Amino acid sequence: MRPTAARPAVRPTALVALCAAAPLLLTACGGGSGGDPDTLKVSFKQSTDNSVKVMDTYLADIKKQFEKANPGKKVELVPIKAPDAEYYTKLQQMLRSPRTAPDLVYEDTFLINSDITSGYLRPLDPYLAGWKDWERFADTAKAAAQGEDGKTYGVPDGTDTRGLWFSKDVFAKAGLPADWQPRTWEDVLDAARTIKKKVPGVVPLNVYTGKPVGEAATMQTFEMLLYGTNDGTSDPLYDKESKKWITAGKGFRDALGFVETVYKEKLGPDVADALDPNVGTRVRGEWLPQGKLGIALDGSWLPQDWLEGSGHEWPEWSKELGLAAMPTQNGQAPGKVSMSGGWTWAIPAKAANPDLAFEFVKTMQTKANAQKWYVANSGIAVREDVASDPAYTAAQPGIRFFTDLVEHTHYRPAYPAYPKVSTAVQEAMEAVTTGDASVEEAARGYDEALRDAAGGQVTSK
């Protein structure tokens, strides 16, 4: 999975530009649900890859079910086609006004507290209290959708974990084992060095970096590293006791050092490719399927791009790719590390039809529909009745591997300042990726940006 810097106030010209640039949003720009109590508007993130229609296909089926069960009601799907960072910006612009706010929106858990603090979302507790299925959801998933006020603002539709994907063909050519399981960061780097030496023309290792890819850099690379350092024994970014953000310590610098090594030694993609906001699409749709990438530090959801009907069908992926857990820095306990996030369905504070929106959520989140989504999206189940269903665990190769990583996973400190903190991390990563700053310089720059992002609420450890 993906934040940007603080959002400026929306000017009329900005909203006009948004509508002009995104024809699919014209209805939303024209006035929310238009005061029609029988029309439900649902906004979601549409893939920037035209051939990937996983969410579109799923929601089209739910729309049919809902309209059949609710005669006279209509569902209008309002996709926002954009990379993650742009999606967040466009969504927040829409949420600011009752003229543009949809009735239901797809919210990343990392951003939900920021939007709660901004007053964009409606608490769902009155609805959840009368919904028996809510008891089926895992507590960790519920917590990810809670505000600091203890209220719940979203219904999670799955979670995810992250690990190392590797090409068995590239590994065979490099003389690396098909059952590869690195014990340390150095093991990962050494494998990439071997690939660079023995398999020319292949990207040895992809780790996302820099501002253009947003949260993919922060969470899928940097935090996967940071939480695997000794600093990762407790939350290395945020101190819950003092409620302060933590300045760059040794673990932070070591994580930056790993990123610097990948790009300084040319173990990763060309810097221009690494800083392309659509590099993730190339990883999933081109580099891995075509055997052009040795190792990818990436998420559990990748197979959604390779399933039948996805546009990038690759039925052989489970035979051609191997999976390994990301190790801790020096192999220290617990030996493995993962990060988890996920998305939720939330109702905007200015939605015209909130009751109808929650009825749509309930349709999406029946056991059968939820299970269908987890499998189609290559997601990790957050409904316990689905997670324990053999039909789910056997539905797709890799599901058991990534589900088992939940034991070793961490969650981002998704407090209101987090999006700005994340941007500061991305800037530090980009600086060492391009060589514009040393690790020490980038860490000092992070500390300065952190003080601004956190309003001075920082501490050192």
Side-chain angles (χ1 to χ4, degrees):
M1 337 147 53
R2 327 165 189 145
T4 56
R7 313 298 181 205
V10 177
R11 299 183 298 275
T13 52
L15 191 56
V16 170
L18 170 62
C19 293
L24 287 173
L25 290 175
L26 283 174
T27 51
C29 294
S33 293
D36 183 355
D38 294 324
T39 299
L40 177 75
K41 291 202 170 183
V42 180
S43 281
F44 63 97
K45 182 183 181 302
Q46 187 177 57
S47 174
T48 55
D49 186 336
N50 289 328
S51 61
V52 178
K53 300 291 186 182
V54 178
M55 176 68 88
D56 305 65
T57 301
Y58 172 73
L59 288 179
D61 180 49
I62 301 300
K63 167 183 161 71
K64 289 180 182 178
Q65 292 182 38
F66 185 81
E67 290 178 346
K68 183 177 181 180
N70 297 274
K73 305 298 182 183
K74 297 295 181 184
V75 177
E76 182 176 341
L77 301 178
V78 187
I80 301 176
K81 186 175 182 178
D84 287 341
E86 292 180 25
Y87 173 75
Y88 304 139
T89 302
K90 292 178 179 180
L91 182 60
Q92 288 178 328
Q93 288 172 336
M94 293 169 68
L95 296 178
R96 290 184 174 116
S97 169
R99 294 186 303 105
T100 57
D103 298 304
L104 189 65
V105 295
Y106 204 40
E107 278 267 342
D108 193 328
T109 53
F110 100 89
L111 195 65
I112 199 164
N113 264 289
S114 177
D115 283 351
I116 292 167
T117 301
S118 298
Y120 294 154
L121 302 180
R122 177 185 300 262
L124 303 182
D125 302 77
Y127 297 110
L128 298 173
W131 184 35
K132 291 184 178 180
D133 280 19
W134 188 235
E135 300 174 0
R136 303 283 191 177
F137 286 73
D139 290 340
T140 52
K142 291 180 179 179
Q146 283 185 340
E148 290 185 288
D149 59 7
K151 297 178 181 177
T152 300
Y153 289 81
V155 175
D157 77 337
T159 190
D160 48 42
T161 54
R162 288 147 177 81
L164 295 165
W165 299 79
F166 62 92
S167 168
K168 293 181 181 178
D169 181 59
V170 171
F171 267 48
K173 291 176 181 177
L176 294 168
D179 58 352
W180 182 64
Q181 176 55 66
R183 292 187 58 257
T184 67
W185 290 1
E186 199 63 24
D187 289 347
V188 177
L189 292 171
D190 283 345
R193 292 172 181 129
T194 299
I195 292 169
K196 180 185 177 183
K197 181 179 179 180
K198 297 187 176 182
V199 195
V202 167
V203 176
L205 168 65
N206 183 69
V207 293
Y208 296 111
T209 186
K211 288 182 67 176
V213 297
E215 192 67 5
T218 310
M219 186 180 185
Q220 288 177 224
T221 297
F222 193 80
E223 290 172 357
M224 284 286 289
L225 294 165
L226 181 60
Y227 282 78
T229 67
N230 287 331
D231 284 2
T233 53
S234 58
D235 195 313
L237 282 175
Y238 184 81
D239 180 45
K240 292 183 179 179
E241 291 186 5
S242 66
K243 296 185 177 181
K244 293 183 178 181
W245 293 88
I246 302 169
T247 56
K250 183 180 184 301
F252 193 100
R253 286 169 167 78
D254 288 348
L256 279 181
F258 184 99
V259 176
E260 180 186 55
T261 297
V262 169
Y263 290 96
K264 181 178 286 187
E265 295 188 17
K266 300 188 183 304
L267 302 176
D270 290 341
V271 171
D273 291 331
L275 297 179
D276 179 346
N278 294 311
V279 64
T281 299
R282 297 191 69 186
V283 168
R284 302 186 301 270
E286 179 185 340
W287 293 347
L288 281 175
Q290 296 177 15
K292 296 178 179 179
L293 175 60
I295 307 167
L297 177 55
D298 223 308
S300 53
W301 58 86
L302 262 59
Q304 68 175 280
D305 278 29
W306 305 326
L307 300 176
E308 184 179 352
S310 68
H312 292 300
E313 291 88 346
W314 186 21
E316 304 84 11
W317 74 264
S318 61
K319 297 177 182 177
E320 297 183 12
L321 292 180
L323 290 166
M326 181 66 187
T328 52
Q329 182 178 9
N330 299 306
Q332 71 269 32
K336 302 175 182 179
V337 66
S338 184
M339 295 295 301
S340 288
W343 292 70
T344 69
W345 288 101
I347 299 177
K350 296 176 181 177
N353 299 309
D355 294 350
L356 199 61
F358 194 77
E359 289 303 313
F360 191 81
V361 171
K362 288 164 64 176
T363 300
M364 282 195 288
Q365 293 299 330
T366 64
K367 179 178 183 291
N369 283 335
Q371 183 163 318
K372 185 186 301 183
W373 171 243
Y374 298 146
V375 173
N377 191 43
S378 300
I380 306 301
V382 293
R383 281 186 62 121
E384 294 168 348
D385 52 349
V386 176
S388 61
D389 190 331
Y392 158 75
T393 56
Q396 184 173 286
I399 284 182
R400 174 51 58 195
F401 170 83
F402 283 109
T403 300
D404 288 347
L405 287 179
V406 171
E407 178 185 355
H408 306 289
T409 204
H410 301 268
Y411 292 84
R412 294 161 290 184
Y415 300 106
Y418 179 80
K420 296 179 183 179
V421 174
S422 179
T423 298
V425 170
Q426 295 158 29
E427 290 170 343
M429 295 177 73
E430 188 166 328
V432 300
T433 297
T434 60
D436 289 343
S438 67
V439 167
E440 287 300 321
E441 290 168 338
R444 287 197 298 270
Y446 170 77
D447 286 348
E448 292 175 7
L450 180 65
R451 291 184 178 91
D452 291 337
Q457 296 298 305
V458 301
T459 186
S460 300
K461 282 197 170 184

